[in-house]
Amino acid sequence: MTTEPSSSADLSGTFAYTWDLVGDPAAAERMASLGVEAVVLQAAYHSVRAMTPFHPAHRTVHATHAAAYFPFDPRDWRGSRLRPATPNWAVDAADRFGTAATALRSRGLRVEAWLVLTHSTAMGERAPDLTVRNAFDQRYTYALCPAKPEVTAYATQLVRSFCVRYDAVEVPALMLEACGWLGFEHGSHHEKTAGADLSEGCRTLLSICLCTACRKGIEAAGADADGVAQAVRRTVDAELRNGVRAPGTLGESLGERAAEAVLRHRQSVIEDLTRQVAAVAPGRELLLMADGDPQVTGPDSGLDLARFGGRATAVVIKCWDDVHRSVARVEAAVRDSARPVIANVSVLEERPAELAGRVARLLAAGARQIRYYHAGLASPARLRALRTANARTATRTTEGAA
């Protein structure tokens, strides 16, 4: 078994965008004042419209396409249809990541790079054959399919280019988002899907990729890809047209053998991608945004954590929903995974005053570390809630060590 870089225990951290820091001399100190030890800093990210409440030069930022926020050598991408774009919004800096990271380190903060791998509408529109294709032969252009060798090569080169630019002392950890398939769920412009009242099972079926690479992978795993496609279409149309709710599990919709083949294929691809990323990022911690439900698609890769044989120093579990479900998800991840669990907690949800209690429960459930989402987007009241929650966490950790 390959030895992973050791994870720094008991860290707390917060997410931030480069434009939160570049051009704002007070930003790094403001983040340090939250009491966190680390900042997960945007290095490669999808399109977004974001608030920047504290920046002296702007109040909103509209990133119109996915981009890399660090300089890279164009020659490394020669001959590739997939290559990262550069940003031209918000701030003017040749090395946005490096500028922001230097400011954070000057305040004693550890910097973790936030890399989104398979989410890019701009690249998907340029190369639609490399995107997720559902059972109705429709493409999700925002979602690159990691079963495609060109997509894996792109993701690996993105990480390699980053690691060439910044050494492991400067940036000891990489937070990997969308290290797998994005599915049906996506906040498209003027989204108009809510009225169809899709069940969770229906959304899960619409998230199955049946591109040529995934068809081969599913068949290699022991199922008939045409049969999977027919079952998806039949079950989805029964819900859309006749109101017959799709079952909650793939096994009920596709049959157990076909469902297991789909999930084995997904797990194998994600494991291979993490191994390839690790190979070009020696000495780095890999913090994998994951979900312990193998049916899940999206920014958090759905995996059977008990059987995961890929590379990850820790798994990052999203805890943004109902606190009881979040606690159960962390408990399951702790039980199933030999790797440390990091709880990703949002300060942007309703009832920020309850944040401290939520964090305490997640730590009691076995989470080793907390990452707060998101210091750049939060109002003063939410930052106060983050600071309070983190202070109580620090007190609890100190008392536990005494």
Side-chain angles (χ1 to χ4, degrees), residues 96-229:
R96 299 180 184 212
F97 182 93
T99 301
T102 298
L104 292 168
R105 284 194 298 271
S106 73
R107 297 302 187 273
L109 292 165
R110 163 183 154 113
V111 176
E112 301 171 346
W114 184 8
L115 294 151
V116 179
L117 301 184
T118 64
H119 185 180
S120 173
T121 301
M123 281 187 281
E125 289 176 345
R126 282 203 305 271
D129 57 305
L130 301 181
T131 60
V132 169
R133 185 173 74 186
N134 69 21
F136 295 88
D137 204 26
Q138 296 168 316
R139 296 283 183 177
Y140 302 152
T141 53
Y142 53 82
L144 300 174
C145 176
K148 295 282 193 178
E150 283 183 74
V151 174
T152 300
Y154 159 76
T156 305
Q157 182 57 50
L158 181 70
V159 174
R160 180 188 289 112
S161 295
F162 179 87
C163 291
V164 167
R165 181 80 189 185
Y166 313 99
D167 66 33
V169 174
E170 293 177 305
V171 187
L174 310 179
M175 180 84 74
L176 303 181
E177 179 179 339
C179 190
W181 285 262
L182 296 183
F184 175 77
E185 294 290 356
H186 184 260
S188 297
H189 295 302
H190 307 295
E191 185 78 17
K192 298 292 182 182
T193 59
D197 295 330
L198 297 180
S199 68
E200 189 62 35
C202 192
R203 293 172 187 273
T204 298
L205 292 171
L206 287 170
S207 297
I208 295 175
C209 183
L210 287 161
C211 70
T212 53
C214 284
R215 281 175 169 268
K216 290 178 182 177
I218 289 168
E219 290 175 351
D224 172 36
D226 286 337
V228 169

Side-chain angles (χ1 to χ4, degrees), residues 47-67:
S47 60
V48 68
R49 190 167 77 102
M51 296 299 297
T52 55
F54 299 97
H55 201 282
H58 47 74
R59 295 296 174 269
T60 63
V61 171
H62 188 191
T64 56
H65 55 74

Side-chain angles (χ1 to χ4, degrees), residues 313-342:
T313 311
V315 292
V316 183
I317 302 296
K318 187 171 289 178
C319 301
W320 293 10
D321 56 358
D322 174 82
V323 66
H324 302 291
R325 288 196 291 270
S326 293
V327 167
R329 195 176 302 115
V330 167
E331 288 175 337
V334 170
R335 181 184 65 244
D336 293 340
S337 177
R339 297 166 175 84
V341 171
I342 299 172

Side-chain angles (χ1 to χ4, degrees), residues 1-4 308-311 338-339:
M1 181 178 292
T2 305
T3 302
E4 303 284 356
F308 179 63
R311 294 291 302 275
R339 297 166 175 84

